[in-house]
């Protein structure tokens, strides 16, 4: 898709679909406990794939590129007594490690086999009754591995205590999961490095718990970037001031570094992104994004477009996402004239030059690469390769983008 050099049309409103992260958690809980009416469910491809997998009683489940579905369903099928499931995915999915989650489940008594390469999908999962209630896992693994265990914990007759070993990564996503469990009536605690989840009280199972899904803050991040570059007001729906989503940190980050103030309307669940006039941009952005790594790409592109030096740490999980996101950023930021250095945990700018002519951004089958680079069209024209990758998390992104830009 070619994006012409554009200007931001001010004072437009965008309705963003429900959070993929929250929706996927709720779908697993709804399937296990059968009493969660869900409103504003995400329309993302990932969520639809998970919904389809849970609705179909098949022996082989292919979740394609949906990493969240792979992790959540691994635990889910492990407790489906008497059912054997082959859980597989795309070529890239078969390259994404899942050993830490499988090891934890095996320690609890689950029966899981690797069908191709040790430590990677596809998996053969034979559902069993799990009675063990204590497990130790590395604290720096993907929060989705930990959430996968937490989502089934209330279904285990003895509950579950997860002992996290080391420094916790993406703590905010774990806390989001625990908040959802609490709202559903599953008692839990997170003290020190130990998370405890009590068995669900079946007496409460007949009481429906309606859950209206907040819109997705990671999807909102691209509009923060657009606002930072276009310097005009944007309204977004439906968002809450007291959000449990880790990516809601985008509001504070963009106010501090780019002068984009977030104004909440509690009654309408709308946020207004308002550029502050005469804002003085920082000499350098230094930030640990350990708790919100999914918005790092957006931040890097915004900083590169404005030629603000940056040094971002806490990005260890980006190497094993839909693509190696740190390497992808290194490659594609060059096209914007930004040279960077990367390690396994960090990315920092080295120099800023002129953008290439005829910029064409490779997306590496990664939805966030497409959407994080799209706001650069406010600086100059560019082409986004394989633009349909946005279907994974935000199918309406290009329509919503075109609705607030003029070329």
């Amino acid at each position: 898709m070619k994006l012409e050099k554009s200007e931001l049309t001010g004072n437009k409103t965008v309705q963003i679909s429900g959070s993929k992260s929250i929706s996927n958690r709720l779908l697993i809980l709804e399937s296990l406990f059968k009493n969660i009416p869900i409103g504003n469910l995400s329309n993302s491809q990932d969520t639809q794939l998970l919904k389809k997998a849970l609705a179909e009683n098949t022996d082989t489940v292919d979740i394609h590129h949906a990493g969240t579905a792979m992790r959540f369903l691994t635990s889910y099928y492990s407790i489906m007594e008497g059912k054997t499931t082959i859980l597989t995915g795309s070529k890239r999915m078969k390259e994404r490690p899942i050993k830490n989650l499988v090891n934890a489940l095996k320690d609890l008594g689950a029966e899981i086999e690797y069908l191709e390469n040790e430590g990677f999908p596809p998996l053969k999962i034979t559902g069993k009754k799990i009675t063990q209630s204590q497990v130790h896992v590395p604290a720096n693994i993907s929060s989705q591995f930990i959430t996968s265990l937490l989502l089934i914990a209330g279904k285990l007759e003895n509950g579950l205590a997860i002992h996290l070993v080391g420094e916790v990564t993406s703590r905010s996503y774990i806390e989001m999961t625990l908040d959802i469990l609490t709202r559903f009536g599953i008692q839990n605690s997170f003290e020190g490095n130990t998370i405890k989840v009590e068995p669900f009280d079946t007496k409460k199972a007949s009481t429906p718990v309606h859950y209206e899904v907040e819109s997705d803050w990671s999807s909102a991040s691209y509009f923060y970037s657009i606002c930072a570059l276009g310097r005009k007001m944007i309204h977004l729906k439906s968002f809450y001031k007291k959000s449990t989503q880790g990516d809601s940190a985008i509001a504070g980050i963009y106010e501090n570094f780019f002068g984009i103030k977030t104004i909440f309307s509690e009654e309408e669940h709308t946020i207004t992104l308002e550029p502050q006039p005469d804002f003085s941009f920082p000499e350098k952005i230094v930030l640990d994004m350990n708790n919100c790594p999914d918005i790092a790409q957006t931040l890097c592109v915004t900083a590169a477009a404005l030629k603000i030096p940056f040094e971002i740490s806490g990005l260890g999980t980006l190497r094993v996402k839909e693509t190696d996101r740190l390497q992808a950023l290194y490659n594609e930021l060059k096209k914007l004239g930004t040279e960077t250095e990367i390690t396994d945990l960090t990315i920092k700018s080295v120099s800023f030059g002129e953008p290439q002519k005829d910029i064409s951004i490779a997306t590496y089958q990664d939805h966030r690469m497409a959407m994080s680079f799209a706001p650069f069209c406010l600086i100059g024209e560019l082409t986004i390769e394989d633009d349909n990758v946005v279907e994974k998390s935000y199918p309406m992104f290009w329509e919503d983008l075109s609705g607030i830009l003029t070329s």
Side-chain angles (χ1 to χ4, degrees):
M1 170 180 288
K2 185 171 184 179
L3 300 177
E4 303 290 345
K5 187 177 186 304
S6 304
E7 291 186 6
L8 175 58
T9 304
N11 215 28
K12 294 283 188 176
T13 300
V14 178
Q15 170 69 63
I16 295 177
S17 175
S19 161
K20 177 168 68 79
S21 296
I22 295 175
S23 295
N24 290 351
R25 286 160 169 78
L26 289 174
L27 285 175
I28 294 291
L29 291 172
E30 195 279 332
S31 186
L32 289 173
F33 300 105
K34 311 297 183 187
N35 68 335
I36 308 178
I38 305 172
N40 196 33
L41 191 73
S42 170
N43 62 0
S44 68
Q45 186 181 66
D46 275 18
T47 297
Q48 299 310 311
L49 282 167
L50 179 57
K51 186 177 181 180
K52 181 174 181 286
L54 292 168
E56 295 179 350
N57 187 27
T58 56
D59 295 333
T60 299
V61 176
D62 186 346
I63 50 74
H64 304 285
H65 299 310
T68 306
M70 171 60 71
R71 280 113 181 229
F72 290 2
L73 289 174
T74 297
S75 296
Y76 175 84
Y77 289 128
S78 293
I79 63 169
M80 294 294 110
E81 295 180 51
K83 177 177 172 57
T84 298
T85 307
I86 305 297
L87 185 57
T88 188
S90 64
K91 180 177 181 293
R92 173 58 182 166
M93 187 57 60
K94 293 179 181 182
E95 297 170 348
R96 298 180 69 177
I98 199 166
K99 190 172 185 177
N100 282 314
L101 175 58
V102 171
N103 284 350
L105 287 165
K106 284 185 172 182
D107 288 345
L108 289 169
E111 186 176 333
I112 305 173
E113 302 173 43
Y114 298 112
L115 295 182
E116 293 180 12
N117 297 316
E118 180 81 11
F120 299 87
L123 307 173
K124 180 181 179 182
I125 306 170
T126 303
K128 295 176 62 178
K129 183 177 183 178
I130 292 177
T131 58
Q132 295 184 54
S133 61
Q134 303 278 334
V135 68
H136 290 76
V137 299
N140 63 349
I141 61 173
S142 168
S143 62
Q144 289 185 10
F145 290 174
I146 299 166
T147 285
S148 179
L149 297 170
L150 293 174
L151 291 174
I152 66 167
K155 196 71 173 177
L156 306 183
E157 65 176 32
N158 297 315
L160 183 62
I162 302 175
H163 305 283
L164 303 174
V165 182
E167 183 181 354
V168 180
T169 299
S170 302
R171 186 184 184 98
S172 59
Y173 292 100
I174 299 171
E175 291 175 340
M176 177 204 297
T177 304
L178 295 176
D179 178 76
I180 292 171
L181 295 181
T182 298
R183 288 181 60 175
F184 182 61
I186 299 175
Q187 294 183 358
N188 61 81
S189 63
F190 191 177
E191 297 178 0
N193 271 34
T194 298
I195 309 171
K196 291 183 179 179
V197 179
E198 301 298 327
F200 182 59
D201 184 353
T202 55
K203 294 178 181 178
K204 297 180 180 178
S206 60
T207 305
V209 179
H210 181 80
Y211 202 116
E212 191 72 18
V213 180
E214 182 187 18
S215 292
D216 191 68
W217 276 94
S218 56
S219 295
S221 73
Y222 314 118
F223 296 95
Y224 275 89
S225 182
I226 291 164
C227 190
L229 301 182
R231 310 310 294 181
K232 291 178 183 175
M233 188 182 297
I234 303 174
H235 310 284
L236 302 177
K237 300 172 70 173
S238 302
F239 293 91
Y240 308 131
K241 191 168 188 177
K242 295 181 180 179
S243 176
T244 60
Q245 296 180 58
D247 289 339
S248 63
I250 195 75
I253 290 170
Y254 269 68
E255 181 168 5
N256 291 337
F257 296 118
F258 303 112
I260 305 302
K261 187 176 182 180
T262 302
I263 302 170
F264 290 85
S265 172
E266 300 276 2
E267 292 183 1
E268 298 180 1
H269 302 308
T270 300
I271 57 174
T272 297
L273 316 187
E274 183 177 84
Q276 299 304 291
D278 303 320
F279 178 77
S280 297
F281 292 106
E283 293 184 4
K284 186 177 183 180
I285 297 171
V286 179
L287 192 61
D288 183 343
M289 301 187 75
N290 181 61
N291 283 326
C292 52
D294 280 347
I295 56 178
Q297 289 150 290
T298 308
L299 177 69
C300 288
V301 174
T302 309
L306 294 171
K307 293 182 167 52
I308 301 173
F310 57 87
E311 185 171 345
I312 313 299
S313 59
L315 305 179
T317 60
L318 295 194
R319 291 284 196 184
V320 291
K321 294 286 188 176
E322 283 77 353
T323 186
D324 179 341
R325 286 179 172 167
L326 287 171
Q327 185 63 52
L329 278 171
Y330 174 87
N331 296 342
E332 303 310 308
L333 286 172
K334 278 187 176 182
K335 299 173 182 177
L336 308 188
T338 301
E339 294 287 342
T340 60
E341 289 180 355
I342 59 173
T343 69
D344 285 343
L345 301 173
T346 66
I347 182 169
K348 69 175 182 178
S349 60
V350 175
S351 64
F352 299 102
E354 290 303 309
Q356 294 179 3
K357 293 182 179 179
D358 301 321
I359 298 171
S360 184
I361 301 297
T363 52
Y364 307 86
Q365 297 183 327
D366 183 354
H367 54 129
R368 298 203 192 284
M369 287 298 292
M371 293 184 283
S372 61
F373 276 83
F376 192 79
C377 70
L378 292 165
I379 305 300
E381 69 177 38
L382 75 163
T383 297
I384 303 293
E385 300 172 15
D386 192 18
D387 55 282
N388 64 354
V389 294
V390 301
E391 293 178 4
K392 179 177 174 64
S393 65
Y394 191 170
M396 297 299 294
F397 176 72
W398 300 118
E399 289 84 349
D400 288 346
L401 180 66
S402 66
I404 62 171
L405 299 180
T406 55
S407 46

